[in-house]
Amino acid sequence: MLRFKLNGEWIECEAEHNETLLDLLREKLGIKSVKRGCNVGECGACTVLLDGRPVNSCLLLAPLVEGRSVETLEGLRDKPIMRELIEAFVEDGAIQCGFCTPGMLISAYSLLSRNPKPSEEEVRRAIAGNLCRCTGYVNIVKAILDASERLRSED
Amino acid sequence: MEAKEVFERFSERESFLVIGRSIRRFDALDKALGRAKFTADYVERDALVVKVVRSSLPHALIKSINIDEALKIPGVVAVLTARDIPGENQIGYALPDQPLLNDVKVHYVGDPIALVCAENEEAAFKGVEAVEVEYEELQAVYTIDEALSEDAPRIHGGEDNIAVTTRVRKGDIEEGFSKAEAIVEDIYETPYQEHMYIEPEAAYAIPEGHNKVTVIGTMQSPFLVREKIAGILGWSLNQVRVIQALTGGAFGGKDDMGPLVCAKAALAAVKLRRPAALIFDRDESAAYSVKRYPARIRYRSGADAEGRMTAAEVDITVDCGAYANRAPFWLWRMTAHAAGPYEVEAVHVDGKAVYTNKVFGGSFRGFGDVAMHFAVESQMDMLAEKLGLDPLEFRLKNVLRPGSRTTTNQLLDHSVGMEECLRGVAEASDWWNRRRRVKRTEGKLRGLGVACAHHGISTSRGAPDWSAASLILNEDGTFTYRTGICELGQGSQFGHAKIVAEILGAPLESIRVEGPDTDSTPNARPTHGSRGLMLGGSAAADAALRLRSRMVKVAAEMLGCDEGDVELRDGRAYDRRRPENSVSFRELAREMYIRGVSPAAYGFYAPPRRYFDPETGLGVAYPVYTFAATVAEVEVDPETGEVKVVEVWPSMDVGRAIDPLLIEGQIHGAIAQGLGFALTENLIVEEGRVLNPNFKDYVIPSSMDMPRVSNVIIVEKPYRHSAFGAKGVGEPAIISIVSAIANAVYHATGIRFRTLPITAERLYRALRGEKP
């Protein structure tokens, strides 16, 4: 029996030794915001937070999250930083097909949690592992910078 | 009522309610919250997992298919082959050359042979490994030249490996060249490009009681998917219900892949009477799905001493790969755009598409015009240089203007903003100063390049095109709008809603859009050819106009005024002369239902007819063209050969901007895809095998690769025959960026690349004297 914290709540579930965290989340736990784009850690669509750091859940074997904290968009969407990011993504046209969006938001959330005032270069670097084929990243970068500015003006 | 009427009645308004403004699109929030559902998100845990058994050889006869061992694997429920197909085993698009499952012959590495249906993925994979296929290998053909050689094996029988040919004969070519002061000739080759949408192909099929199946999938043409599934099952269209799930990027590829994937899932679900899901793995998607067609273009063109184009002679060969698929349309589009967005008196074009034993090509943003313009725009630069003219000045002398005639001698009488696009980017980039100024900085080489593009909207070859939509005024004054146009990321459906809102004076939030479901949505035909907004939106306008006239009639009676005095605004009907006198849409709706006035409207739109003479290729190739221009500045590192695109200045004549933010999004995305095609995306195919079917080795741009993108310059030259004058915007931007980068690389280094991509390795070698 695997025990870990999912979106702030401790849960227990069965996990095969060779099951990835992505499979566990999507197929067994019904967490569908986590997307499968490549299954080999190259596209970033399955990004989740593990103890607050972004990881590709398709590369992580589920048993390794024992006792640790996993967060997805379902658990993060009401946090102030994420709310501001979501608002900015919607407002700035940072979302087209939306398939990369949850992973992108999680990488952006992780950045703004650590660095409230990132430069454009830092923003680009933070999402370099999240591929998007629709937007050319232009409005995504803009949205993350806008969110960071709004968060600071709220302080 | 016609879209023309919308144009006349509404386009002359001084201000619009929602048209022309950037408004937050209504589907963005669900996507941002992770609630948006894509195909894989619908799949229930008890669904059968379907995996495809594929050919391991590029060209072979199938001697036998043995499924016995596969069936012994625990969890494998069935293995389906061609003999399990109840209808016709044929899924070719333009030509009937493509079986859904092959049992006679395979034509490329990856050709589908069987479907393993299993309780779980592991069993399905084991099942695929266990199916034994015995082949008799045939000689394979990998290149255009091999395919055209006398003794080449005939891939699909027939006399040769040519799938289709095209031609244009406009003007006297000899006379044209005799007037030329400068003539240049070269051969250009463009490679495959893989779509690499982040969501792989997927379909989920559910059997529904007696002889009906529902298929949820990622696609661009739900009604084509329905037709193909019905053909495979031997059923009528109304036995198949196709629902387009939100689609995670498509770019043309899912137009072609939708039917192929959905038909396999549907076959499994119907044969086994269980829900079945077929979801491609990334490597499967990248290796075996359609790609941008490779092409080779021999181009000879000339201009006179004043810098006017006089002649262009163009020979096009498209490499189809294993099946023709869209090649007839792709080739026709290249042919009809062969002179580029320039007025050229004499144009001769010959085109052919040939079969090879490689993964087949198909739809991809720009649809042939990327390759065609790469040749055209390289030629334009070379001619300018030979004549001692600035390349942008040279283009300005020749661009299509109102009154110009195209490659096919089509008269363009209005909606021609090529010159304004080009002047726009020249000014924004400070072209003439910057072009002189850019040079060596800190050991790096800098260059500035320009390119133009034109792209006919709607389908090619004069194929009939039309669109439909429906609109219902609900009892509470809200609206339900249905369209068969797909949401792929581009936001076309939101554009339709804005058109409806503008015509009805309805708050945007009171309009709910229901996307494609073939059981309830009108057939809007495919979401391709940049037609989603222009054609789909014009059908929306037609529906809104029809409903509007009924609403106005009833409102006039309720308000006791003339119909001409009724104004619809903010969800209310006003008496214009006594604005305090008004009724809400809720009250109006109630009254319409009580009086028995239909609250629903079906909208239909067909653009003006297109036609051409098959002998000369002359005629009206497309109803209208979208124009674009791009300036790009690059920096080349001579130590590594790496090209960095520093800044891009884009412009586009969109007819009318329905939503500037949506247009900007399309242009940004196209710049990224074009940048990848020009510089890094290099699909390696050896002996018919794709060697790099993954994001690590097939490099699409990341956030680190994107240049600074200057404000998008939107030129508005409205089209008279579409709602509000809008033209399609999805494709044109990828056409001009590719050539602008290649021309900038030349300006920086003096090296002209006639093949793409310009990888660091190729440029490094070229800088050291090797032939580029």
PDB file of all heavy atoms in Angstrom, chain B residues 3 42 45 58-59 187 189 291 356 413 453 468 475 480 580 629 671 699 703:
ATOM      1  N   ALA B   3     -23.884  36.077 -47.041  1.00  0.00           N
ATOM      2  CA  ALA B   3     -22.853  36.769 -46.274  1.00  0.00           C
ATOM      3  C   ALA B   3     -22.614  38.168 -46.840  1.00  0.00           C
ATOM      4  O   ALA B   3     -22.266  39.087 -46.124  1.00  0.00           O
ATOM      5  CB  ALA B   3     -21.572  35.975 -46.311  1.00  0.00           C
ATOM      6  N   TYR B  42     -11.731  11.009 -21.692  1.00  0.00           N
ATOM      7  CA  TYR B  42     -13.062  10.386 -21.695  1.00  0.00           C
ATOM      8  C   TYR B  42     -13.002   8.878 -21.464  1.00  0.00           C
ATOM      9  O   TYR B  42     -13.999   8.252 -21.169  1.00  0.00           O
ATOM     10  CB  TYR B  42     -13.754  10.617 -23.043  1.00  0.00           C
ATOM     11  CG  TYR B  42     -14.242  12.029 -23.272  1.00  0.00           C
ATOM     12  CD1 TYR B  42     -13.431  12.982 -23.881  1.00  0.00           C
ATOM     13  CD2 TYR B  42     -15.527  12.412 -22.888  1.00  0.00           C
ATOM     14  CE1 TYR B  42     -13.884  14.279 -24.102  1.00  0.00           C
ATOM     15  CE2 TYR B  42     -15.984  13.710 -23.105  1.00  0.00           C
ATOM     16  CZ  TYR B  42     -15.148  14.635 -23.711  1.00  0.00           C
ATOM     17  OH  TYR B  42     -15.597  15.912 -23.927  1.00  0.00           O
ATOM     18  N   ARG B  45     -12.079   3.081 -17.557  1.00  0.00           N
ATOM     19  CA  ARG B  45     -11.032   2.095 -17.239  1.00  0.00           C
ATOM     20  C   ARG B  45     -11.291   0.724 -17.827  1.00  0.00           C
ATOM     21  O   ARG B  45     -10.360  -0.060 -18.039  1.00  0.00           O
ATOM     22  CB  ARG B  45     -10.855   1.989 -15.719  1.00  0.00           C
ATOM     23  CG  ARG B  45     -10.087   3.179 -15.164  1.00  0.00           C
ATOM     24  CD  ARG B  45      -9.839   3.036 -13.687  1.00  0.00           C
ATOM     25  NE  ARG B  45      -8.946   1.924 -13.391  1.00  0.00           N
ATOM     26  CZ  ARG B  45      -8.620   1.557 -12.160  1.00  0.00           C
ATOM     27  NH1 ARG B  45      -9.125   2.211 -11.142  1.00  0.00           N
ATOM     28  NH2 ARG B  45      -7.799   0.556 -11.949  1.00  0.00           N
ATOM     29  N   PRO B  58       9.482  -1.787 -45.767  1.00  0.00           N
ATOM     30  CA  PRO B  58       8.946  -0.658 -46.546  1.00  0.00           C
ATOM     31  C   PRO B  58       8.093  -1.073 -47.735  1.00  0.00           C
ATOM     32  O   PRO B  58       7.237  -0.329 -48.167  1.00  0.00           O
ATOM     33  CB  PRO B  58      10.206   0.076 -47.021  1.00  0.00           C
ATOM     34  CG  PRO B  58      11.297  -0.939 -46.986  1.00  0.00           C
ATOM     35  CD  PRO B  58      10.956  -1.897 -45.895  1.00  0.00           C
ATOM     36  N   HIS B  59       8.325  -2.258 -48.274  1.00  0.00           N
ATOM     37  CA  HIS B  59       7.588  -2.666 -49.468  1.00  0.00           C
ATOM     38  C   HIS B  59       7.618  -4.179 -49.534  1.00  0.00           C
ATOM     39  O   HIS B  59       8.676  -4.771 -49.692  1.00  0.00           O
ATOM     40  CB  HIS B  59       8.253  -2.069 -50.727  1.00  0.00           C
ATOM     41  CG  HIS B  59       7.346  -2.036 -51.918  1.00  0.00           C
ATOM     42  ND1 HIS B  59       7.811  -1.878 -53.195  1.00  0.00           N
ATOM     43  CD2 HIS B  59       5.998  -2.132 -52.036  1.00  0.00           C
ATOM     44  CE1 HIS B  59       6.775  -1.877 -54.048  1.00  0.00           C
ATOM     45  NE2 HIS B  59       5.682  -2.030 -53.360  1.00  0.00           N
ATOM     46  N   ILE B 187      17.324  24.855 -57.967  1.00  0.00           N
ATOM     47  CA  ILE B 187      16.482  23.745 -57.508  1.00  0.00           C
ATOM     48  C   ILE B 187      16.372  23.831 -55.990  1.00  0.00           C
ATOM     49  O   ILE B 187      17.383  23.966 -55.293  1.00  0.00           O
ATOM     50  CB  ILE B 187      17.073  22.386 -57.937  1.00  0.00           C
ATOM     51  CG1 ILE B 187      17.023  22.268 -59.462  1.00  0.00           C
ATOM     52  CG2 ILE B 187      16.307  21.228 -57.292  1.00  0.00           C
ATOM     53  CD1 ILE B 187      17.747  21.060 -60.011  1.00  0.00           C
ATOM     54  N   GLU B 189      14.719  22.209 -52.361  1.00  0.00           N
ATOM     55  CA  GLU B 189      14.144  20.993 -51.782  1.00  0.00           C
ATOM     56  C   GLU B 189      13.719  21.262 -50.346  1.00  0.00           C
ATOM     57  O   GLU B 189      14.479  21.832 -49.560  1.00  0.00           O
ATOM     58  CB  GLU B 189      15.154  19.849 -51.824  1.00  0.00           C
ATOM     59  CG  GLU B 189      15.326  19.321 -53.239  1.00  0.00           C
ATOM     60  CD  GLU B 189      16.310  18.167 -53.297  1.00  0.00           C
ATOM     61  OE1 GLU B 189      17.519  18.421 -53.203  1.00  0.00           O
ATOM     62  OE2 GLU B 189      15.856  17.022 -53.432  1.00  0.00           O
ATOM     63  N   LYS B 291       2.982  13.595 -42.530  1.00  0.00           N
ATOM     64  CA  LYS B 291       3.972  14.679 -42.371  1.00  0.00           C
ATOM     65  C   LYS B 291       3.735  15.722 -43.468  1.00  0.00           C
ATOM     66  O   LYS B 291       3.080  15.430 -44.460  1.00  0.00           O
ATOM     67  CB  LYS B 291       5.398  14.147 -42.582  1.00  0.00           C
ATOM     68  CG  LYS B 291       5.695  12.830 -41.934  1.00  0.00           C
ATOM     69  CD  LYS B 291       6.248  13.041 -40.539  1.00  0.00           C
ATOM     70  CE  LYS B 291       6.319  11.713 -39.814  1.00  0.00           C
ATOM     71  NZ  LYS B 291       5.086  11.432 -39.046  1.00  0.00           N
ATOM     72  N   THR B 356       6.478   6.980 -53.094  1.00  0.00           N
ATOM     73  CA  THR B 356       7.706   6.323 -52.637  1.00  0.00           C
ATOM     74  C   THR B 356       7.340   5.420 -51.459  1.00  0.00           C
ATOM     75  O   THR B 356       6.243   5.549 -50.903  1.00  0.00           O
ATOM     76  CB  THR B 356       8.768   7.342 -52.164  1.00  0.00           C
ATOM     77  OG1 THR B 356       8.192   8.166 -51.141  1.00  0.00           O
ATOM     78  CG2 THR B 356       9.277   8.218 -53.299  1.00  0.00           C
ATOM     79  N   ASP B 413      -9.872  41.758 -57.731  1.00  0.00           N
ATOM     80  CA  ASP B 413     -10.423  43.112 -57.846  1.00  0.00           C
ATOM     81  C   ASP B 413     -10.513  43.843 -56.516  1.00  0.00           C
ATOM     82  O   ASP B 413     -10.664  45.054 -56.485  1.00  0.00           O
ATOM     83  CB  ASP B 413     -11.783  43.091 -58.568  1.00  0.00           C
ATOM     84  CG  ASP B 413     -12.810  42.264 -57.821  1.00  0.00           C
ATOM     85  OD1 ASP B 413     -12.431  41.576 -56.844  1.00  0.00           O
ATOM     86  OD2 ASP B 413     -13.987  42.298 -58.213  1.00  0.00           O
ATOM     87  N   ALA B 453       3.978  36.458 -48.627  1.00  0.00           N
ATOM     88  CA  ALA B 453       3.210  35.222 -48.794  1.00  0.00           C
ATOM     89  C   ALA B 453       1.803  35.555 -49.240  1.00  0.00           C
ATOM     90  O   ALA B 453       1.269  36.607 -48.893  1.00  0.00           O
ATOM     91  CB  ALA B 453       3.152  34.450 -47.473  1.00  0.00           C
ATOM     92  N   ALA B 468     -22.179  25.246 -42.852  1.00  0.00           N
ATOM     93  CA  ALA B 468     -23.499  25.386 -42.232  1.00  0.00           C
ATOM     94  C   ALA B 468     -23.382  25.534 -40.725  1.00  0.00           C
ATOM     95  O   ALA B 468     -22.373  25.155 -40.134  1.00  0.00           O
ATOM     96  CB  ALA B 468     -24.368  24.172 -42.583  1.00  0.00           C
ATOM     97  N   GLU B 475     -35.771  29.714 -24.450  1.00  0.00           N
ATOM     98  CA  GLU B 475     -36.910  30.386 -23.811  1.00  0.00           C
ATOM     99  C   GLU B 475     -36.469  31.490 -22.856  1.00  0.00           C
ATOM    100  O   GLU B 475     -37.227  32.403 -22.553  1.00  0.00           O
ATOM    101  CB  GLU B 475     -37.759  29.373 -23.030  1.00  0.00           C
ATOM    102  CG  GLU B 475     -38.383  28.284 -23.879  1.00  0.00           C
ATOM    103  CD  GLU B 475     -37.508  27.056 -23.966  1.00  0.00           C
ATOM    104  OE1 GLU B 475     -36.316  27.184 -24.336  1.00  0.00           O
ATOM    105  OE2 GLU B 475     -38.001  25.956 -23.651  1.00  0.00           O
ATOM    106  N   THR B 480     -28.176  29.022 -28.182  1.00  0.00           N
ATOM    107  CA  THR B 480     -27.327  27.849 -28.378  1.00  0.00           C
ATOM    108  C   THR B 480     -26.901  27.845 -29.833  1.00  0.00           C
ATOM    109  O   THR B 480     -27.743  27.815 -30.732  1.00  0.00           O
ATOM    110  CB  THR B 480     -28.096  26.555 -28.050  1.00  0.00           C
ATOM    111  OG1 THR B 480     -28.498  26.620 -26.667  1.00  0.00           O
ATOM    112  CG2 THR B 480     -27.209  25.335 -28.264  1.00  0.00           C
ATOM    113  N   GLU B 580     -36.579  54.394 -24.222  1.00  0.00           N
ATOM    114  CA  GLU B 580     -37.103  53.916 -22.926  1.00  0.00           C
ATOM    115  C   GLU B 580     -38.078  52.757 -23.155  1.00  0.00           C
ATOM    116  O   GLU B 580     -38.428  52.032 -22.233  1.00  0.00           O
ATOM    117  CB  GLU B 580     -37.750  55.072 -22.148  1.00  0.00           C
ATOM    118  CG  GLU B 580     -39.075  55.597 -22.712  1.00  0.00           C
ATOM    119  CD  GLU B 580     -38.889  56.539 -23.915  1.00  0.00           C
ATOM    120  OE1 GLU B 580     -37.721  56.724 -24.360  1.00  0.00           O
ATOM    121  OE2 GLU B 580     -39.886  57.076 -24.419  1.00  0.00           O
ATOM    122  N   ALA B 629       3.461  39.438 -44.822  1.00  0.00           N
ATOM    123  CA  ALA B 629       4.881  39.738 -45.041  1.00  0.00           C
ATOM    124  C   ALA B 629       5.596  39.630 -43.703  1.00  0.00           C
ATOM    125  O   ALA B 629       5.002  39.862 -42.650  1.00  0.00           O
ATOM    126  CB  ALA B 629       5.058  41.134 -45.629  1.00  0.00           C
ATOM    127  N   ILE B 671       5.026  31.485 -36.406  1.00  0.00           N
ATOM    128  CA  ILE B 671       6.438  31.889 -36.388  1.00  0.00           C
ATOM    129  C   ILE B 671       7.278  30.783 -35.737  1.00  0.00           C
ATOM    130  O   ILE B 671       8.338  30.403 -36.246  1.00  0.00           O
ATOM    131  CB  ILE B 671       6.615  33.233 -35.648  1.00  0.00           C
ATOM    132  CG1 ILE B 671       6.059  34.377 -36.512  1.00  0.00           C
ATOM    133  CG2 ILE B 671       8.085  33.483 -35.293  1.00  0.00           C
ATOM    134  CD1 ILE B 671       5.978  35.716 -35.807  1.00  0.00           C
ATOM    135  N   VAL B 699      13.817  18.316 -33.103  1.00  0.00           N
ATOM    136  CA  VAL B 699      13.820  19.458 -32.185  1.00  0.00           C
ATOM    137  C   VAL B 699      12.849  20.550 -32.634  1.00  0.00           C
ATOM    138  O   VAL B 699      13.089  21.242 -33.626  1.00  0.00           O
ATOM    139  CB  VAL B 699      15.248  20.041 -32.071  1.00  0.00           C
ATOM    140  CG1 VAL B 699      15.261  21.182 -31.074  1.00  0.00           C
ATOM    141  CG2 VAL B 699      16.227  18.944 -31.658  1.00  0.00           C
ATOM    142  N   SER B 703      10.846  27.537 -25.446  1.00  0.00           N
ATOM    143  CA  SER B 703      10.745  28.951 -25.060  1.00  0.00           C
ATOM    144  C   SER B 703      12.086  29.671 -25.222  1.00  0.00           C
ATOM    145  O   SER B 703      12.125  30.883 -25.386  1.00  0.00           O
ATOM    146  CB  SER B 703      10.276  29.058 -23.616  1.00  0.00           C
ATOM    147  OG  SER B 703      11.123  28.287 -22.777  1.00  0.00           O
TER     148      SER B 703
END
